[in-house]
Amino acid sequence: REMATFYELFADAPKKIVAVVTFIALLELMRNRRLTVVQSAPFAEVRVYRGERYFDRLGEEEAIIAGSVEEVADIVEELQ
């Protein structure tokens, strides 16, 4: 899958610690330019894309450079 919503990443978190670790993993993957996180307007849905460059498709002002949605899912699975 190339994209997941922020809600999808946290919807099945069985414990608060899983949600916290997932969020920290997202921040780390963003820092390492492995994910692109996009929110088109305030309070709009946050979308997480695999890969580092979505500027061409989304526009620079929309995108925050950031790993792979699958990597985050793997981390969450390991914690459950």
Side-chain angles (χ1 to χ4, degrees):
R1 233 169 91 167
E2 291 294 319
M3 188 275 298
T5 65
F6 198 74
Y7 176 79
E8 290 171 334
L9 294 174
F10 294 94
D12 295 332
K15 297 179 182 177
K16 194 181 296 186
I17 188 67
V18 174
V20 170
V21 171
T22 301
F23 185 73
I24 292 170
L26 280 172
L27 293 176
E28 182 66 18
L29 291 168
M30 289 170 56
R31 187 178 72 82
N32 291 323
R33 297 178 175 234
R34 311 266 327 269
L35 292 177
T36 302
V37 178
V38 178
Q39 184 177 27
S40 59
F43 304 106
E45 184 175 72
V46 176
R47 296 169 291 171
V48 180
Y49 291 91
R50 178 191 307 185
E52 110 175 22
R53 293 274 177 207
Y54 273 79
F55 285 128
D56 296 339
R57 198 178 311 172
L58 301 169
E60 187 170 342
E61 66 281 350
E62 277 190 319
I64 299 171
I65 296 285
S68 158
V69 172
E70 291 167 351
E71 285 181 42
V72 172
D74 290 342
I75 292 168
V76 171
E77 266 185 42
E78 288 176 21
L79 293 172
Q80 293 177 347

